[in-house]
Amino acid sequence: MQTQKARKLLMIPGPIEFEPAVLAALAEPTPSHVAPDFIEVFGRALDNLRTVFQAPDGQPFVMAGSGTLAMEAAVANLLEPGDRVLQINTGYFSDRMAAICERSGALVTHVPAPAVGDAPGLAEVERALQQDRFKLMTITHVDTSTAVLTDVAALAKLARSAGALSVVDGVCSVAGEALPMADWDVDVALTASQKALGAPPGLALVMARPRALEAFRRRTRPVASYYADWSNWLPVMQAYQARKPAYFGTPAVNLVLALDVSLAQIIAEGMEARVARHARLSEAIKAALTALGLSQVPLRPAVAAHTLSAPYFPAGVDGAALLGKINAAGVILAGGLHPALRTRYFRIGHMGAVNAADVLATVGAIEQGLHGVGYRFDAGSGLAASQRVMQGQAGHPPFA
């Protein structure tokens, strides 16, 4: 049996560390999916998702599945063969979204970043929109492979002006980055439970606003994916919101119980405060990496995500050995994912329940790992840089 002391801190870009109350919900006796108490919980969770997505006019969908299912459900219900999609490409998961769109018969045009670690310029996107008529613009808010953040507000505005629906992959951003759907006029946003939403893996979540639902209702062919078809899920979601029983596929009931707890915690924190907290934790991590002489995949601060960081391994350092040393120091980090530089960098997740103590423990483990592989640096420089951010010496008030 593993003791609490033996447990390592999980600081990857999902799954993340979870609050004890969220984990406790998983241990509740499993209820019937049509039991009155569960109907109330599920209905409340759906209502609270509107608050978290900041989409009072949105229709939430919660399905058992991964973030990839959420991606498919978001676009498969809107696309028919021959439709055109403009993909704003910032990495591995942008490529995945394009592949999903192509499976629905869409014709995909990519607007690539000028380099790995950057985001396409708005002028380039505008030029692409002038070349054709697109039904969707798909945007990866934070690409988990590159830690690149896109300007969703500006991109959604461009999409609207060109008559395209905006679909935002928020798997690594929702509840960690600013994404006020209604204010930014985003048509669809999607995420998964195991990232900044702070619930265990297994739930795919989509929020569709009125224009997207209208486009879905106007389609002329059945949705190619039976499981992801909103025709099957919409009556179920609406029934639970009305506190009535319904069935299409059995929901992951204990995960919904956990989601309900997590959403209540997020709303109690407040969306503005939560986004600000993620920004500060990110700044503390990135300040430490800079102090330690580690460059990062995002090429400039404006495109650097606040939910994860992606530092390069130091020159001459064996990346696998470094991650092993960090693991031995008590913190689990993730290796690279983008195929162009997979072995050259690693990834640190800092979202959801992660707090200042977790960040300092992570920086300390990175310092210990760097020392263990023979990298030369000023001992404690990373921790000191993080502490300066935490103590309000970098232009912010100190953490409470």
Side-chain angles (χ1 to χ4, degrees):
M1 177 179 176
Q2 189 181 52
T3 66
Q4 186 66 24
K5 276 288 188 183
R7 184 177 173 277
K8 297 179 187 293
L9 181 63
L10 186 64
M11 294 289 287
I12 66 174
I16 62 168
E17 293 282 326
F18 305 118
E19 292 281 3
V22 173
L23 294 176
L26 292 177
E28 290 288 327
T30 300
S32 163
H33 59 289
V34 292
D37 288 351
F38 178 73
I39 292 170
E40 175 59 35
V41 168
F42 203 170
R44 181 172 62 234
L46 293 169
D47 292 342
N48 285 342
L49 281 170
R50 286 196 176 101
T51 300
V52 170
F53 278 84
Q54 295 173 266
D57 59 353
Q59 174 58 57
F61 295 88
V62 177
M63 298 167 282
S66 71
T68 302
L69 173 64
M71 295 167 73
E72 181 165 19
V75 297
N77 285 278
L78 300 175
L79 292 174
E80 299 186 62
D83 286 340
R84 296 188 178 275
V85 175
L86 190 67
Q87 173 66 53
I88 310 305
N89 197 309
T90 52
Y92 181 93
F93 289 98
S94 299
D95 289 338
R96 177 172 291 188
M97 179 62 92
I100 292 170
C101 291
E102 288 168 348
R103 286 288 183 97
S104 293
L107 305 173
V108 179
T109 299
H110 291 261
V111 183
V116 176
D118 208 345
L122 295 178
E124 187 177 1
V125 174
E126 194 165 15
R127 281 194 296 271
L129 286 168
Q130 292 168 355
Q131 301 305 308
D132 219 323
R133 182 161 184 83
F134 296 95
K135 187 171 187 180
L136 303 185
M137 177 192 288
T138 52
I139 307 159
T140 311
H141 194 186
V142 171
D143 197 296
T144 319
S145 73
T146 57
V148 167
L149 176 73
T150 53
D151 186 350
V152 169
L155 290 167
K157 185 176 181 179
L158 288 177
R160 181 66 51 242
S161 66
L165 297 171
S166 54
V167 177
V168 175
D169 172 359
V171 168
C172 203
S173 73
V174 170
E177 303 280 359
L179 182 56
M181 284 186 70
D183 286 352
W184 290 358
D185 213 8
V186 171
D187 293 301
V188 180
L190 63 103
T191 192
S193 51
Q194 77 274 14
K195 304 273 189 173
L197 274 184
L203 294 177
L205 305 102
V206 178
M207 185 68 70
R209 294 186 59 241
R211 277 188 296 255
L213 291 170
E214 180 58 29
F216 163 69
R217 294 185 179 106
R218 289 199 308 265
R219 60 180 303 123
T220 60
R221 296 180 177 91
V223 176
S225 172
Y226 181 75
Y227 183 69
D229 188 346
W230 289 350
S231 299
N232 295 320
W233 290 107
L234 187 56
V236 177
M237 298 298 109
Q238 291 174 334
Y240 278 117
Q241 287 168 242
R243 308 308 194 259
K244 297 177 182 177
Y247 172 77
F248 165 60
T250 303
V253 289
N254 282 79
L255 286 174
V256 173
L257 298 180
L259 176 68
D260 176 55
V261 173
S262 179
L263 292 173
Q265 293 175 343
I266 292 169
I267 290 170
E269 182 177 8
M271 294 306 298
E272 185 176 345
R274 188 175 181 87
V275 169
R277 175 171 62 83
H278 279 77
R280 179 78 73 83
L281 294 173
S282 175
E283 184 182 355
I285 284 277
K286 290 172 173 61
L289 296 172
T290 299
L292 293 169
L294 304 186
S295 59
Q296 298 172 54
V297 174
L299 296 179
R300 48 200 170 90
V303 298
H306 302 105
T307 50
L308 78 154
S309 298
Y312 284 103
F313 295 118
V317 167
D318 182 295
L322 174 58
L323 290 179
K325 295 288 186 182
I326 295 170
N327 186 299
V331 177
I332 301 169
L333 303 181
L337 183 61
H338 194 285
L341 40 86
R342 186 188 304 271
T343 61
R344 296 174 51 201
Y345 75 111
F346 62 107
R347 294 174 296 149
I348 308 163
H350 34 80
M351 66 188 96
V354 170
N355 58 30
D358 296 328
V359 165
L360 294 175
T362 301
V363 172
I366 291 172
E367 287 205 13
Q368 192 166 333
L370 288 169
H371 174 75
V373 296
Y375 177 70
R376 300 185 62 143
F377 64 98
D378 291 335
S381 58
L383 282 166
S386 283
Q387 287 277 29
R388 283 193 291 272
V389 174
M390 300 295 184
Q391 294 169 1
Q393 298 176 34
H396 301 285
F399 266 107

